[in-house]
Amino acid sequence: MADLPLMITLMTVLIYLLPSCIKSSEIILPKSLNLTLLTDPSAISAASHDFGNITTVIPGGVICPSSPAEISRLLSYASNGERKFQVAARGQGHSLKGQAAVLNGVIVNMTCLAGVVISDDMKYADVAGGTLWVDVLKNTAEKGVSPVSWTDYLHVSIGGTLSNAGIGGEVFRNGPQISNVLELDVITGKGEMLACSSQLNSELFYGVLGGLGQFGIITRARIVLNHAPKRAKWFRMLYSDFTAFTKDQERLISMADDAGVDYLEGQLFMSNGVVDTSFFPQSNQSKIADLVKSHGIIYVLEVAKFYDDPTLPIIGQVVDMLTRTLSYLPGFISMHDVAYFDFLNRVKAEEDKLRSLGLWEVPHPWLNLYVPKSQILDFHNGVVKDILLKQNSTSGLTLLYPSNRNKWDNRMSAMVTEEEDVVYIIGILQSATPQNVPEVESLNDSIIRVCKDSGIKIKQYLMHYTRKEDWVEHFGTKWSDFSKRKDLFDPKKLLSPGQDIF
Ligand code: FAD
């Protein structure tokens, strides 16, 4: 008993020393593989964290492949006989909760495999799996062509978004990014290198798209291209009435096949959050702040129309439609005329701003949901008004906009709310401090609980479940195919274990 204080002191010292001497577990690759495994502290540390900044998962090592064949050799070795280690492809690590991580296993740094080759007829680009979407845009737009579906943020990888879905303001018109892929090269969990498409190895093709990295590592994707417009007319309009806001959003996306807008999203200004009015003229900014204060929530409809020649009559028609037939608050419309590239790359400016304030590398307990159109008002009342608006404060952004369900292909692994033609995309994108992560996470849990209790049929996007039954529920009728595909393409369960599915 006399030694107890000494033992406590020793244990305390150990606990404090531990993080500085955490070592990755040792993986030894046979020389015959001819692969370099990086195990230096900087490589390990960079691969242990992600954008979510909530988890730390330490890999055994990192490889920077110089060709797909190297990944194939790694996976053939790891899957041969007894499972030797698990493997996770990592794009930018912009996951939220360790989805691109692997404990004691090998991270494949996909950014080492990047590049864009545009076909002669300029109808598609063959893009290496680790390429950033911003680089696809730079390479294609230079030749007057462009992919047709974008995420809000372009500094994410091809393989990373195609493993999820890749959603944004063009989904209502062109579908998610996974709907705009013609072919893939994939290395399965057994190390096989397979090309696949809707015609060739289709089981693998549909499995991998939205497949959360479970069936193979994408080393090449053939992405659909179309004409790249030169400029965008980019509008934001304010609403104080939720029904008027969603009615206008839904009307605009119903014109997806006509000459309507090219991009549509929406966000909320809430009186308990940060209200960024900088898009609007200085003369309107304090009026907007007053509106938010008096209404509690102001809804921001955001659209863009792309164009080449400013004299095209269509631009005039669209501007006319927006200004005359939509029921935003009179006077609260603002338009910017920007280059197509700058419009698509708009979040980079936000990133730079947040980085300069030290607010980018903070915890991000984000919650992304799909909500069916028939229940969006219930969601608004039960979640936005009754939960979010009642918080003392919120930090970050809340997105809310509809998209057309028929632009998704149900044969793919990606899940989205079924049954209805229109599905709302919701992003409750809160930033946190290390101290209040549990509080924000429990807020997210309560949002999910309220939806379940009130029968709102949500599906999560970029989710992280730890219980098998949650995954089974998430995939619903697709679960059986999803787990069969796992047995077929990754029977040793090597790939992307950070998703915690198998
Ligand atoms: P990672 O986080 O590195 O990987 C994600 C998953 O895919 C992991 O399981 C990983 O193992 C697997 N994976 C990675 N590469 C491959 C590959 N080549 N083959 C097979 N599996 C692979 N998403 C949207 O859809 N729309 C948005 O508007 C949007 N906006 C965002 C804004 C910000 C600021 C951030 C940080 C993220 C945003 N995202 C958005 C989320 C983004 O799409 C995901 O984080 C996605 O995972 C891409 O990030 P990544 O390339 O870093 O992938």
Side-chain angles (χ1 to χ4, degrees):
M1 285 306 274
D3 285 336
L4 197 60
L6 179 67
M7 279 174 64
I8 291 173
T9 312
L10 272 175
M11 280 173 68
T12 313
V13 169
L14 263 177
I15 285 165
Y16 278 98
L17 281 180
L18 215 54
S20 59
C21 49
I22 281 178
K23 260 191 65 190
S24 55
S25 78
E26 209 173 356
I27 292 175
I28 297 173
L29 298 179
K31 272 216 170 93
S32 58
L33 287 184
N34 199 16
L35 295 173
T36 307
L37 188 72
L38 305 172
T39 54
D40 58 283
S42 71
I44 296 293
S45 162
S48 305
H49 304 282
D50 60 21
F51 177 77
N53 259 310
I54 295 171
T55 53
T56 301
V57 183
I58 299 174
V62 178
I63 71 158
C64 175
S66 58
S67 69
E70 292 196 359
I71 306 176
S72 167
R73 290 207 296 277
L74 178 81
L75 283 165
S76 302
Y77 170 71
S79 63
N80 194 3
E82 284 283 290
R83 172 169 101 180
K84 302 192 182 58
F85 45 79
Q86 291 177 298
V87 176
R90 178 181 165 106
Q92 290 294 297
H94 276 127
S95 290
L96 298 171
K97 233 176 169 184
Q99 288 94 332
V102 54
L103 182 66
N104 298 332
V106 176
I107 292 283
V108 181
N109 179 355
M110 294 305 295
T111 59
C112 301
L113 288 185
V116 181
V117 179
I118 299 168
S119 66
D120 290 344
D121 61 6
M122 303 220 271
K123 292 209 163 124
Y124 61 80
D126 281 320
V127 182
T131 315
L132 300 188
W133 280 97
V134 71
D135 293 326
V136 182
L137 178 59
K138 279 181 195 155
N139 280 273
T140 54
E142 200 168 80
K143 298 204 166 168
V145 283
S146 162
V148 296
S149 184
W150 298 97
T151 48
D152 294 343
Y153 178 59
L154 304 187
H155 293 251
V156 285
S157 74
I158 298 288
T161 70
L162 296 184
S163 298
N164 286 297
I167 55 176
E170 290 88 6
V171 173
F172 78 93
R173 183 178 271 280
N174 299 322
Q177 291 177 331
I178 50 172
S179 296
N180 294 285
V181 176
L182 301 172
E183 233 177 75
L184 297 169
D185 281 346
V186 173
I187 300 168
T188 68
K190 295 188 272 188
E192 305 155 299
M193 296 171 76
L194 297 173
C196 59
S197 67
S198 59
Q199 307 296 320
L200 176 74
N201 296 316
S202 59
E203 193 74 19
L204 182 62
F205 181 71
Y206 291 125
V208 164
L209 292 169
L212 306 175
Q214 296 306 301
F215 312 113
I217 295 185
I218 301 167
T219 54
R220 175 190 64 101
R222 181 164 284 183
I223 309 285
V224 174
L225 301 178
N226 208 332
H227 167 71
K230 291 212 165 45
R231 299 194 65 79
K233 298 263 184 203
W234 177 18
F235 297 82
R236 285 187 188 164
M237 291 150 273
L238 302 186
Y239 292 71
S240 57
D241 180 65
F242 183 69
T243 305
F245 167 65
T246 51
K247 204 171 136 208
D248 279 354
Q249 283 188 319
E250 287 168 21
R251 190 158 70 83
L252 289 170
I253 70 156
S254 74
M255 297 186 272
D257 298 322
D258 309 328
V261 297
D262 292 305
Y263 158 98
L264 181 142
E265 291 199 4
Q267 57 172 283
L268 313 184
F269 283 167
M270 284 194 274
S271 54
N272 58 352
V274 178
V275 176
D276 180 1
T277 56
S278 57
F279 193 87
F280 291 85
Q282 192 97 44
S283 55
N284 252 349
Q285 293 183 1
S286 63
K287 285 188 213 151
I288 295 171
D290 290 345
L291 273 178
V292 177
K293 231 183 259 165
S294 63
H295 289 275
I297 312 176
I298 287 293
Y299 310 93
V300 187
L301 173 54
E302 177 173 74
V303 297
K305 182 74 192 168
F306 305 143
Y307 72 104
D308 292 305
D309 180 346
T311 60
L312 273 185
I314 186 73
I315 280 295
Q317 284 166 23
V318 171
V319 174
D320 194 46
M321 173 185 74
L322 294 174
T323 48
R324 291 202 312 143
T325 62
L326 298 182
S327 29
Y328 56 87
L329 294 168
F332 290 99
I333 181 169
S334 182
M335 194 271 285
H336 292 213
D337 189 319
V338 290
Y340 179 64
F341 180 88
D342 294 338
F343 172 74
L344 292 177
N345 198 31
R346 62 199 176 278
V347 177
K348 185 70 177 80
E350 297 300 315
E351 174 184 351
D352 293 344
K353 198 158 62 181
L354 290 171
R355 275 192 192 282
S356 72
L357 297 168
L359 294 174
W360 181 257
E361 284 174 6
V362 297
H364 296 104
W366 287 5
L367 179 64
N368 293 281
L369 302 170
Y370 298 110
V371 176
K373 168 185 153 178
S374 66
Q375 295 179 308
I376 195 64
L377 186 59
D378 297 339
F379 181 86
H380 171 261
N381 294 338
V383 172
V384 178
K385 279 176 91 175
D386 278 359
I387 300 182
L388 292 177
L389 194 59
K390 288 192 176 155
Q391 301 305 304
N392 287 337
S393 66
T394 57
S395 65
L397 193 64
T398 302
L399 302 176
L400 189 150
Y401 59 95
S403 66
N404 292 316
R405 181 70 181 78
N406 66 356
K407 302 291 175 184
W408 295 72
D409 186 333
N410 218 24
R411 291 168 293 184
M412 296 174 184
S413 295
M415 288 305 299
V416 65
T417 320
E418 284 165 55
E419 294 157 22
E420 291 190 19
D421 292 347
V422 171
V423 56
Y424 272 80
I425 293 171
I426 314 287
I428 303 173
L429 312 180
Q430 300 222 52
S431 298
T433 61
Q435 293 72 31
N436 79 346
V437 169
E439 196 185 312
V440 182
E441 288 192 323
S442 92
L443 183 80
N444 291 343
D445 290 344
S446 64
I447 291 172
I448 290 161
R449 213 171 30 250
V450 161
C451 290
K452 284 206 167 145
D453 292 349
S454 48
I456 302 175
K457 292 186 186 156
I458 52 166
K459 280 278 171 223
Q460 285 197 52
Y461 179 57
L462 306 175
M463 60 278 147
H464 184 251
Y465 297 122
T466 49
R467 301 181 323 159
K468 174 111 178 236
E469 58 262 42
D470 289 331
W471 282 114
V472 174
E473 188 187 333
H474 174 79
F475 283 107
T477 51
K478 288 192 196 173
W479 172 253
S480 149
D481 280 347
F482 197 83
S483 49
K484 270 190 220 145
R485 285 169 177 165
K486 187 71 173 173
D487 291 338
L488 204 57
F489 300 116
D490 182 26
K492 296 271 168 69
K493 319 247 182 308
L494 299 186
L495 293 170
S496 291
Q499 298 278 3
D500 267 335
I501 306 176
F502 295 101

